[in-house]
Amino acid sequence: MSQTRPTGLPPGMDEVARLTQAGRLTEATGLIQRLLRGEGATEPAAAPAAVPDPTVLEGEFVRLDAASGPQARSDTKDHVRPAGKMAGSRAGKGARTGLGETLRGLAARLQPTGLRGGGAPRPPAEPLPDGASFATASHSGASGTRAYKLYVPANRGDGRRPLVVMLHGCTQSPDDFSAGTRMNAFAEQHGVYVAYPEQPASANAQRCWNWFKPEDQRRGQGEPDLLAGITRRIIHDHPIDPNRVYIAGLSAGGAAAAIMGEAYPDLYAAVGVHSGLPAGAAHDLPSALAAMHQGDYGAMGRAGAGRAGAGRPVPTIIFHGDRDTVVHPRNGDHVAARATAAAAGLGTEVQHGEAPGRRSYSRILHTDPSGRTLCEQWAIHGAGHAWAGGSPAGSYTDPQGPDATAEMMRFFLEHRAEPS
């Protein structure tokens, strides 16, 4: 394992690697927590509390909880309920397999819940309309097998229908994600099919899509191959219009959606990235932590930007809270930059708004000379790491935000794939 610290990674991660390789996992975890709080790496590493405060390890992420600790902002809405007690140790195996596996094992010990706050039970999800279905299926191919759930609307009408592929975030499931985003309800209104691929714990301890691994960033390999296979199977098996197929995701799912848009511009007519990162943002776990924490990729990010636009530019809609402490808001800017890199003559318009009882926002529209919007970027003021306008029936939702689901659906249906 290289001891070179990636550009943009907080100083001290080399010491984290050394402690991990020495099997001193408690000290390594405590050091990560102090580094991301902005503290130095020189003080002795202390054992982390059973309920981390203010940090929570979540899957591949080392997350800062803006709602706790002495530096918390009083106006933040990004709350996290305390994690459960630590489970039995699997540290020895992690130490033998390297830093990435070790941190995944540590993360698996902590089970964060959603951002609803208060510990209140979730309200039930809305019942299915008569004639609709929401069933589980699976796809197998050269890259493996993934289960998925497919919403088939009762309002199917005649002819071929659009398809939206939704990629959940870490710790989520298709049922949780569909309830939180309410995408099925909007799909019913417009007669749209919706697929929810499921990332199993066997592929990632916290069910995150592995957006930071090179083997899961390329067309025809790994998770992109599986997701494209699911999409093609649904197109084949159902009356789907191949020119109106879209993909979107939250957090790790948003990063995976950005990868899919660049890897398969012939398959997806538009992409939605909510609180995610651009394709090429990282190549391993340390660089992923740097990209998430700082949104600055250094030389690696500049090299990645040069790959943008290898195919046709895919229309992209982006949502990001400007108080997101899990994935730095700067990542939304990078997603927009990649989405527009290959297009010439774009005009830019900035709009500001605030719906009654909801958060204010800024929206940047990048339009081509014909008036077609290639990229739409929403910055949601005061919002944290959660699906804007979502339902408390799901996790990681912010009901106060503008309705990201409604706006995504509107954006998607405005775009059809262009003839190649």
Side-chain angles (χ1 to χ4, degrees), residues 218-229 232 247 258-269 271 312 314:
R218 303 186 183 102
R219 182 184 181 102
Q221 297 183 20
E223 291 174 2
D225 185 50
L226 283 165
L227 295 172
R232 290 175 176 139
I247 190 164
I259 289 170
M260 295 302 292
E262 289 198 15
Y264 295 92
D266 53 330
L267 188 57
Y268 301 103
V271 176
R312 71 174 180 86
V314 178

Side-chain angles (χ1 to χ4, degrees), residues 12-275:
M13 282 302 293
D14 51 350
E15 177 65 7
V16 170
R18 188 189 69 78
L19 291 170
T20 300
Q21 291 171 338
R24 297 161 63 183
L25 304 182
T26 298
E27 294 173 79
T29 303
L31 177 54
I32 290 174
Q33 294 176 342
R34 294 202 314 278
L35 290 172
L36 294 185
R37 287 199 298 269
E39 301 172 7
T42 56
E43 59 185 279
V51 178
D53 183 14
T55 56
V56 178
L57 286 173
E58 175 188 299
E60 303 303 340
F61 300 166
V62 176
R63 113 175 247 168
L64 292 179
D65 178 1
S68 58
Q71 303 301 320
R73 291 184 291 265
S74 60
D75 60 347
T76 182
K77 301 297 182 182
D78 190 358
H79 298 292
V80 180
R81 293 211 307 265
K85 293 182 179 180
M86 284 194 170
S89 175
R90 298 171 58 192
K93 179 179 179 181
R96 289 194 299 271
T97 55
L99 178 60
E101 285 298 321
T102 298
L103 293 183
R104 279 192 287 276
L106 291 170
R109 300 177 187 176
L110 304 175
Q111 298 295 327
T113 57
L115 301 183
R116 297 173 301 281
R122 301 183 195 177
E126 297 180 4
L128 291 179
D130 290 342
S133 66
F134 192 34
T136 301
S138 67
H139 165 77
S140 296
S143 298
T145 299
R146 286 294 184 277
Y148 63 93
K149 293 198 74 169
L150 179 65
Y151 181 78
V152 177
N155 175 31
R156 295 190 288 276
D158 298 324
R160 295 187 174 275
R161 307 308 307 163
L163 168 66
V164 176
V165 179
M166 294 284 286
L167 304 179
H168 62 73
C170 295
T171 75
Q172 293 183 314
S173 68
D175 288 302
D176 179 17
F177 196 38
S178 63
T181 61
R182 299 173 299 124
M183 183 59 79
N184 292 354
F186 284 89
E188 186 62 44
Q189 293 176 23
H190 298 282
V192 175
Y193 286 63
V194 188
Y196 298 86
E198 182 172 14
Q199 179 75 317
S202 59
N204 182 289
Q206 291 296 86
R207 304 181 187 272
C208 309
W209 298 99
N210 291 306
W211 55 273
F212 55 91
K213 294 184 176 181
E215 62 269 28
D216 293 311
Q217 297 173 344
R218 303 186 183 102
R219 182 184 181 102
Q221 297 183 20
E223 291 174 2
D225 185 50
L226 283 165
L227 295 172
I230 290 172
T231 304
R232 290 175 176 139
R233 173 172 177 170
I234 295 170
I235 294 172
H236 179 270
D237 292 349
H238 297 272
I240 303 299
D241 181 351
N243 294 316
R244 292 188 292 168
V245 177
Y246 314 98
I247 190 164
L250 170 67
S251 192
I259 289 170
M260 295 302 292
E262 289 198 15
Y264 295 92
D266 53 330
L267 188 57
Y268 301 103
V271 176
V273 179
H274 199 311
S275 309

Side-chain angles (χ1 to χ4, degrees), residues 335-390:
V335 175
R338 288 182 71 96
T340 57
L346 294 179
T348 301
E349 178 185 356
V350 180
Q351 301 175 349
H352 302 279
E354 180 177 2
R358 292 180 178 265
R359 298 186 189 278
S360 62
Y361 61 84
S362 299
R363 181 169 65 157
I364 303 175
L365 303 176
H366 301 272
T367 56
D368 64 20
S370 71
R372 174 175 175 264
T373 302
L374 178 62
C375 181
E376 185 171 316
Q377 181 183 4
W378 293 65
I380 306 167
H381 304 311
H385 193 70
W387 188 276

Side-chain angles (χ1 to χ4, degrees), residues 1-5 17 21:
M1 178 175 179
S2 172
Q3 298 300 312
T4 301
R5 179 165 51 87
Q21 291 171 338

